[in-house]
Amino acid sequence: MAESNELQARSTIHAGGEWRAAVSGATREILDPADALPFAVVAEGDDKDTDLAIAAARRAFDEGEWPRTPVGERAALLRRVADLLVRDREQLGLLESRDAGKTVEEGRVDIDCVADAFRYFADLVAGESPGRVVDAGSPDIHSVVVHEPIGVCSMITPWNYPLLQASWKIAPALAAGNTFVIKPSEITPMTTIALIELLVEAGLPAGVANIVTGPGHSVGARLSEHPDVDLVSFTGGLISGTKVAQAAAPTVKKVALELGGKNPNVVFADACATDEGFDTAVDQALNAAFIHSGQVCSAGARLIIEESVRDRFVAELARRAEKIRLGRGTEDGVECGPLVSEQQRAKVEMYVESALKEGAVLRSGGKRPAPSPQRPENGYFYEPTVLDHCHREMRVVREEVFGPVLTVETFRTEDEAVALANDTEYGLAGGVWTTDAGRARRVAGRLRHGTIWINDFHPYLPQAEWGGFGKSGVGRELGPAGLAEYRETKHVYQNLAPKPVRWFAG
Ligand SMILES: NC(=O)c1ccc[n+]([C@@H]2O[C@H](COP(=O)([O-])OP(=O)(O)OC[C@H]3O[C@@H](n4cnc5c(N)ncnc54)[C@H](O)[C@@H]3O)[C@@H](O)[C@H]2O)c1
Ligand SMILES: C[N+](C)(C)CC=O
């Protein structure tokens, strides 16, 4: 704790163009998950700070220039932000690594994707027509459907991809002409604070972009319920997402929810028929489950494999899982960082313990690794874990673990594979591995998930919508639908030759 006493508390609440401390004066230490030591101290806002930020965003929307700024100028600002992100890629990638525990290379990739999102939404709005003329059936009627910014947007984001998830909200919201207040996860706020600084540097008018650092139960709840907010966009877990939707309901604001997943990775035996095919399918299954220590909403945490190839596949998977180099994300050669918090590691340990009690067979991991020069003793590390002989009644198969835990189930027929893959209350993403193109299309068509990868796992594109079926959420991010979330649709009907209607005789 000696180090923490030397850290200066930063004023990390930005409302109406000014950086401030919390009204209460409260602060929070931000811990590096690799050693549990604080590396920053931020303001710990509450509902009072949130009200001030919402009032600033409301003023900027109702009276400010941004919603009425020509779309070309808005697009130009977004492109400037993308350029600034590229300029600061190294620092931001490093900061994301320290904040969320991921490797610096993962952090850099995130920053590239963030810049891509800003460019994509800039191009999308710049290339649009201003409205859709509707044929009203008369030359005397001019009828046009236009899109307008929705207003003040609340944004609430999780800790696993702090800046990426923020950018999927901020870029379309700004492109559409909205103002916003964002609340990053209280444990990983650093890069979102940095992004607000870049928006200011790029020339965004005061009051358009506001941030309140602080916890979900006060700041997040207020952002969800506040009557002056027009939309709340939330990314996080199912339990908090349900609370956000409940808090938003009385004011009938628009709600967008990007929630968790329990994502199947279905491997047919034909995909493993050649050595190259086998190696690719194993390698990608490893990546699907263990990148960022499995703390990915779309992690392929359920391997659903054809029974005839299970033993060979799982043996190779476990062999490779044991070789994954765990350590501090900033160290050279490290492939997986720690879990984000002690709480997250305890949750993972609880699920592994319950799976073993329910009959799962441990093939790799299942414990904390020994400390090493790259792995400080206090870091929240956990070994990549493969659990064989799992079945759908197990908690570890049904619930989102959000850690480095892969469960293995088997099937004999295509129908069985589809039934297993769809047997989840979630529906975020899934993979299918087969060399049979007809089967690939058939299975992809039957899977009830928002993204299906065929012979791949994990890629997402700014041009393609992202979101879930079932309890994985409501609405979509990215793509044209990701912009539409931040808009109202208005029909303007103009009578060019008005006459009395004479419906009423008197
Ligand atoms: N679908 C997606 O695209 C996507 C992407 C990333 C993460 N996720 C999901 O996020 C979860 C992990 O993130 P997490 O642990 O930070 O989730 P979380 O639900 O605990 O927290 C998410 C955010 O909600 C806030 N929050 C908590 N309680 C709240 C409340 N009552 N009202 C308003 N806000 C509240 C938190 O402070 C945080 O900012 C996983 O379930 C993961 O699948 C989904
Ligand atoms: C949406 N994604 C895949 C970037 C992060 C999910 O946790």
Side-chain angles (χ1 to χ4, degrees):
M1 296 301 285
E3 190 184 326
S4 80
N5 294 334
E6 292 156 21
L7 292 170
Q8 289 285 319
R10 288 180 56 191
S11 294
T12 54
I13 294 172
H14 189 71
E18 286 186 14
W19 289 99
R20 295 191 305 96
V23 171
S24 69
T27 59
R28 173 188 288 263
E29 290 181 333
I30 303 302
L31 307 185
D32 183 335
D35 56 18
L37 290 173
F39 69 97
V41 179
V42 300
E44 179 83 330
D46 61 21
D47 42 2
K48 290 194 185 63
D49 303 282
T50 312
D51 284 354
L52 290 174
I54 292 172
R58 189 76 258 168
R59 264 194 313 280
F61 187 79
D62 293 341
E63 300 160 25
E65 67 209 72
W66 185 249
R68 287 154 283 279
T69 298
V71 80
E73 285 179 37
R74 291 209 299 261
L77 186 134
L78 262 64
R79 292 195 188 101
R80 281 202 295 282
V81 175
D83 291 344
L84 293 173
L85 286 158
V86 172
R87 181 196 71 188
D88 292 353
R89 181 176 186 262
E90 276 308 304
Q91 293 119 278
L92 290 170
L94 185 64
L95 197 55
E96 202 71 312
S97 167
R98 289 202 78 186
D99 220 3
K102 56 183 67 185
T103 65
V104 178
E105 187 51 25
E106 284 176 78
R108 291 188 191 110
V109 171
D110 284 6
I111 306 311
D112 293 342
C113 295
V114 172
D116 286 350
F118 274 90
R119 290 215 176 86
Y120 168 71
F121 284 108
D123 292 349
L124 188 62
V125 287
E128 278 181 330
S129 67
R132 178 167 53 91
V133 175
V134 175
D135 181 358
S138 162
D140 292 338
I141 304 297
H142 181 254
S143 171
V144 61
V145 174
V146 294
H147 299 291
E148 296 183 352
I150 195 163
V152 174
C153 304
S154 286
M155 303 172 178
I156 302 172
T157 49
W159 48 258
N160 64 332
Y161 283 80
L163 197 59
L164 185 62
Q165 299 303 156
S167 75
W168 289 9
K169 302 182 191 305
I170 291 175
L174 290 180
N178 297 283
T179 64
F180 71 86
V181 181
I182 190 164
K183 188 205 94 61
S185 167
E186 55 273 39
I187 58 174
T188 58
M190 302 312 293
T191 50
T192 311
I193 298 165
L195 178 59
I196 301 296
E197 289 170 342
L198 294 185
L199 293 175
V200 172
E201 185 180 344
L204 197 66
V208 176
N210 306 278
I211 179 171
V212 182
T213 47
H217 63 79
S218 58
V219 180
R222 191 72 182 133
L223 285 173
S224 309
E225 73 188 7
H226 201 292
D228 285 346
V229 168
D230 300 290
L231 165 148
V232 54
S233 177
F234 171 88
T235 301
L238 178 57
I239 294 172
S240 321
T242 309
K243 288 183 187 162
V244 167
Q246 283 167 344
T251 48
V252 198
K253 56 173 65 74
K254 193 171 172 187
V255 176
L257 301 173
E258 292 291 334
L259 308 177
K262 193 70 198 180
N263 312 291
N265 187 16
V266 179
V267 180
F268 286 91
D270 61 12
C272 306
T274 63
D275 287 348
E276 198 187 347
F278 176 78
D279 177 53
T280 302
V282 171
D283 183 72
Q284 291 248 11
L286 199 71
N287 196 52
F290 297 128
I291 192 139
H292 192 15
S293 289
Q295 302 167 114
V296 183
C297 56
S298 49
R302 282 179 78 192
L303 175 66
I304 298 177
I305 187 158
E306 194 159 347
E307 199 176 76
S308 58
V309 287
R310 184 257 295 273
D311 288 349
R312 179 173 170 233
F313 198 97
V314 173
E316 178 62 4
L317 198 59
R319 186 188 70 77
R320 289 196 52 190
E322 276 174 4
K323 293 175 98 175
I324 291 175
R325 293 193 292 266
L326 289 184
R328 190 193 283 279
T330 52
E331 295 271 347
D332 283 346
V334 162
E335 294 172 318
C336 257
L339 299 184
V340 78
S341 64
E342 185 58 63
Q343 187 191 11
Q344 195 60 24
R345 182 168 62 179
K347 186 176 157 203
V348 169
E349 289 176 331
M350 180 277 289
Y351 275 111
V352 172
E353 202 179 307
S354 94
L356 295 175
K357 276 195 193 131
E358 289 178 277
V361 176
L362 188 67
R363 297 288 185 213
S364 76
K367 61 182 189 325
R368 301 177 184 194
S372 74
Q374 290 185 317
R375 275 195 305 268
E377 191 165 4
N378 293 335
Y380 310 126
F381 297 98
Y382 195 80
E383 290 183 0
T385 298
V386 177
L387 295 170
D388 202 355
H389 293 280
C390 292
H391 56 78
R392 50 174 121 178
E393 280 75 38
M394 292 175 169
R395 275 189 79 182
V396 73
V397 172
R398 308 208 69 80
E399 297 172 19
E400 187 185 44
V401 177
F402 223 56
V405 178
L406 176 66
T407 61
V408 182
E409 298 156 85
T410 55
F411 66 87
R412 288 190 184 158
T413 66
E414 188 177 308
D415 281 348
E416 242 185 288
V418 170
L420 277 174
N422 282 339
D423 187 17
T424 167
E425 61 179 353
Y426 291 108
L428 189 58
V432 186
W433 291 85
T434 176
T435 51
D436 178 338
R439 170 151 65 194
R441 293 267 178 84
R442 251 188 341 262
V443 173
R446 293 174 68 190
L447 291 184
R448 302 274 305 155
H449 299 268
T451 295
I452 304 297
W453 294 290
I454 298 173
N455 296 334
D456 212 321
F457 211 99
H458 274 323
Y460 44 85
L461 308 170
Q463 312 89 284
E465 277 75 2
W466 177 269
F469 288 27
K471 290 186 181 166
S472 285
V474 178
R476 290 292 180 271
E477 296 198 305
L478 302 180
L483 178 65
E485 292 283 5
Y486 292 92
R487 283 176 159 168
E488 286 286 14
T489 301
K490 183 185 278 179
H491 176 201
V492 180
Y493 178 105
Q494 184 179 11
N495 191 337
L496 303 170
K499 296 183 191 65
V501 182
R502 303 288 184 224
W503 181 271
F504 299 109

